[in-house]
């Protein structure tokens, strides 16, 4: 091998995670970072060049200096903290219009949007091509379809519902999950623990909260819990479809999309993700069934967590499960009312103190 011409590029943790997820088959049919036809199709049509529905760009951005050194057909070696982790076969180098594409994908250029802010830190040059992992040790313990599909098979589950989350479990989540448990043989609770914005709940808060839920409330025979490492994009509807695609690749037959899935602020409508799923489903086989569930809330008359699909009462008779309110109570070390969050879950999170939140991006 000619080592003298070896070109390396230092990638950040999010890109390293993409590399791992590509290798593990979570982003199937992608076998590397997108080339321009896939990228353009994804941005404008939500489809790859071969017509597969694909809603979130997965690209490798590199700086201008590196672009100048690249030759088509050669490998670019990808390092993390100086260590060679993988490589990409340089099949194509292309330029993106970050502003234009971001406005299409994110539907906003507001830098208060954490995903937009992150896009603006990237280089406009992208390298597309098949990737490989060199240091296989980084794959140890990572989420892969081999692990999940084996578990589902061992458990004898024919139908499995995937549940995406970036938050500790509250009673609205619990309602959605119990609906799935009643409908499917198993539920795969798969919290996303990669890069998140400052102020979001930390990985520890999400995981510790779920451990309390699993130990105290959920049955063992139909729940599988394991984290998904990838960055949050805060892309609302597009990300909901992307999240479902990952879970389909992991062997799920069903996927839950509730209110404001993967949303942030009020950039996307409360049920816009569900609307996109319905629209895409009309023209395409997405390969997974969706449980599109309306917002659960507490009804004082019914004395239950219900939704507008299952309860006739409105206005003063109902109490919404308000995530912001739960968050501010936990931050002060107070347990939210049990109608909104289980005491054991709240206590596990409160115990973390300041560590319950993401403090740096
Ligand atoms: S997300 O960014 O991962 O979507 P979150 O953890 O809050 O955030 O949501 C996980 C899933 O539960 C998503 O499908 C979301 O739509 C749904 N969800 C969360 N809170 C509610 C709620 N109050 N009502 C309905 N669905 C909800």
């Amino acid at each position: 091998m000619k080592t003298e011409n070896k070109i390396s590029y230092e990638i950040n943790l999010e890109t390293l995670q993409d590399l791992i997820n590509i290798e593990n088959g979570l982003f199937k049919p992608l076998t590397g970072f997108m080339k321009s036809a896939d990228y353009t199709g994804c941005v404008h049509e939500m489809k790859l060049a071969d017509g597969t529905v694909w809603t979130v760009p997965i690209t490798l951005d590199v700086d201008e200096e590196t672009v100048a050194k690249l030759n088509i057909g050669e490998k670019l070696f990808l390092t993390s903290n100086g260590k060679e982790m993988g490589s990409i076969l340089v099949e194509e180098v292309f330029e993106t219009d970050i502003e234009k594409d971001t406005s299409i994908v994110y539907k906003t250029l507001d830098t208060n949007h954490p995903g937009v802010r992150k896009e603006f830190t990237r280089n406009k040059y992208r390298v597309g091509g098949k990737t490989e992992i060199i240091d296989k040790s980084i794959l140890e313990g990572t989420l892969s379809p081999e692990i999940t599909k084996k578990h589902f098979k061992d458990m004898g589950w024919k139908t499995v519902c995937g549940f995406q989350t970036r938050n500790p479990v509250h009673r609205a989540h619990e309602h959605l999950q119990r609906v799935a448990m009643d409908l499917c043989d198993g539920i795969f609770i798969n919290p996303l623990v990669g890069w998140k914005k400052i102020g979001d709940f930390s990985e520890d808060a999400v995981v510790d909260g779920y451990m309390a839920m699993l130990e105290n409330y959920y049955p063992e025979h139909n729940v599988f819990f394991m984290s998904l490492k990838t960055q949050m994009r805060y892309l609302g509807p597009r990300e909901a479809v992307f999240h479902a695609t990952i879970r389909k690749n992991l062997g799920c037959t069903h996927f839950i999309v509730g209110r404001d899935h993967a949303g942030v602020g009020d950039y996307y409508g409360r049920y816009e993700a569900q609307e996109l799923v319905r629209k895409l489903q009309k023209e395409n086989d997405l390969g997974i069934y969706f449980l599109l569930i309306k917002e659960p809330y507490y009804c004082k008359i019914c004395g239950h967590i219900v939704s507008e699909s299952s309860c006739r009462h409105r206005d003063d008779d109902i109490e919404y499960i308000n995530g912001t309110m739960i968050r501010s109570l936990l931050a002060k070390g107070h347990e939210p009312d049990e109608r909104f969050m289980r005491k054991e879950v709240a206590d596990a999170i409160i115990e973390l103190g300041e560590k319950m939140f993401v403090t740096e991006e």
Side-chain angles (χ1 to χ4, degrees):
M1 192 164 58
K2 303 185 288 178
T3 45
E4 67 275 16
N5 291 331
K6 204 166 181 179
I7 306 164
S8 297
Y9 190 68
E10 177 75 13
I11 53 175
N12 64 17
L13 277 181
E14 289 77 66
T15 305
L16 177 63
Q17 205 55 55
D18 281 346
L19 190 68
I20 292 171
N21 289 335
I22 291 167
E23 175 79 15
N24 282 347
L26 268 63
F27 295 168
K28 219 170 55 185
L30 298 188
T31 55
F33 288 104
M34 284 179 171
K35 291 188 271 183
S36 62
D38 283 342
Y39 175 76
T40 311
C42 170
V43 170
H44 294 276
E45 314 282 342
M46 300 196 205
K47 286 190 172 164
L48 300 177
D50 70 0
T52 309
V53 170
W54 196 277
T55 49
V56 173
I58 303 292
T59 56
L60 171 67
D61 67 298
V62 294
D63 59 21
E64 201 168 356
E65 201 185 320
T66 307
V67 167
K69 293 188 233 158
L70 294 177
N71 291 311
I72 302 295
E74 289 185 0
K75 279 186 181 176
L76 170 64
F77 292 86
L78 305 172
T79 61
S80 176
N81 288 324
K83 199 166 172 229
E84 211 166 75
M85 294 297 182
S87 67
I88 178 165
L89 177 66
V90 181
E91 293 176 44
E92 199 185 345
V93 181
F94 60 101
E95 223 177 287
T96 60
D97 183 336
I98 292 191
E99 205 160 291
K100 187 163 154 245
D101 297 350
T102 299
S103 75
I104 296 170
V105 174
Y106 287 82
K107 291 184 160 179
T108 175
L109 286 175
D110 184 353
T111 48
N112 289 315
H113 185 302
V116 170
R117 208 163 51 237
K118 201 158 176 61
E119 282 303 325
F120 286 160
T121 64
R122 303 182 72 201
N123 289 291
K124 64 180 174 180
Y125 301 104
R126 307 291 152 104
V127 179
K130 195 171 169 3
T131 50
E132 263 174 356
I133 297 278
I134 294 168
D135 181 359
K136 302 275 185 210
S137 71
I138 57 169
L139 298 175
E140 266 167 41
T142 55
L143 183 66
S144 71
E146 285 74 47
I147 294 177
T148 49
K149 287 183 177 173
K150 180 174 184 313
H151 185 83
F152 302 161
K153 189 164 176 249
D154 290 350
M155 297 301 284
W157 298 346
K158 294 268 182 288
T159 52
V160 186
C161 185
F163 185 78
Q164 148 68 31
T165 185
R166 69 173 201 261
N167 285 305
V169 53
H170 56 49
R171 297 295 296 267
H173 295 133
E174 181 180 335
H175 175 89
L176 307 183
Q177 290 165 5
R178 288 189 196 268
V179 168
M181 286 181 213
D182 280 335
L183 285 173
C184 293
D185 298 334
I187 182 168
F188 177 32
I189 300 174
N190 189 209
L192 183 152
V193 298
W195 178 88
K196 291 194 279 188
K197 68 182 168 63
I198 290 173
D200 266 15
F201 280 102
S202 64
E203 174 174 346
D204 284 348
V206 178
V207 173
D208 291 4
Y210 266 104
M211 288 304 123
M213 195 69 200
L214 297 179
E215 277 159 23
N216 292 285
Y217 295 98
Y218 283 166
E220 278 175 24
H221 70 276
N222 61 354
V223 182
F224 184 50
F225 181 88
M226 191 170 172
S227 301
L228 163 69
K229 210 152 189 167
T230 191
Q231 71 190 88
M232 260 318 284
R233 275 97 177 163
Y234 302 96
L235 254 175
R238 278 184 182 249
E239 196 166 6
V241 176
F242 176 60
H243 283 161
T245 305
I246 296 173
R247 277 45 178 235
K248 178 188 76 175
N249 285 332
L250 288 166
C252 294
T253 53
H254 293 66
F255 185 71
I256 291 175
V257 175
R259 190 209 65 193
D260 198 22
H261 186 111
V264 62
D266 53 9
Y267 295 100
Y268 312 107
R270 285 158 79 80
Y271 292 109
E272 206 179 316
Q274 297 191 357
E275 284 154 24
L276 178 64
V277 167
R278 284 203 182 89
K279 181 170 166 271
L280 291 173
Q281 270 177 330
K282 272 193 196 146
E283 295 147 20
N284 309 276
D285 176 9
L286 300 178
I288 188 161
Y289 295 105
F290 284 85
L291 303 184
L292 306 177
I293 309 179
K294 286 273 163 58
E295 174 169 14
Y297 45 74
Y298 183 80
C299 171
K300 295 182 221 167
I301 311 278
C302 296
H304 262 289
I305 303 285
V306 294
S307 77
E308 66 180 62
S309 309
S310 61
C311 166
R312 61 183 292 151
H313 309 112
R314 301 284 183 265
D315 306 322
D316 290 347
D317 294 334
I318 63 173
E319 287 185 278
Y320 285 102
I321 300 167
N322 181 332
T324 312
M325 186 260 292
I326 292 177
R327 189 184 177 286
S328 76
L329 283 168
L330 292 172
K332 289 183 203 132
H334 302 316
E335 290 166 351
D337 190 291
E338 283 247 43
R339 283 169 304 171
F340 306 134
M341 179 174 264
R342 299 279 180 187
K343 178 181 165 18
E344 294 85 348
V345 173
D347 290 349
I349 298 166
I350 290 168
E351 213 173 288
L352 290 168
E354 285 170 8
K355 289 201 209 120
M356 76 174 78
F357 297 118
V358 173
T359 49
E360 57 186 55
E361 282 182 3

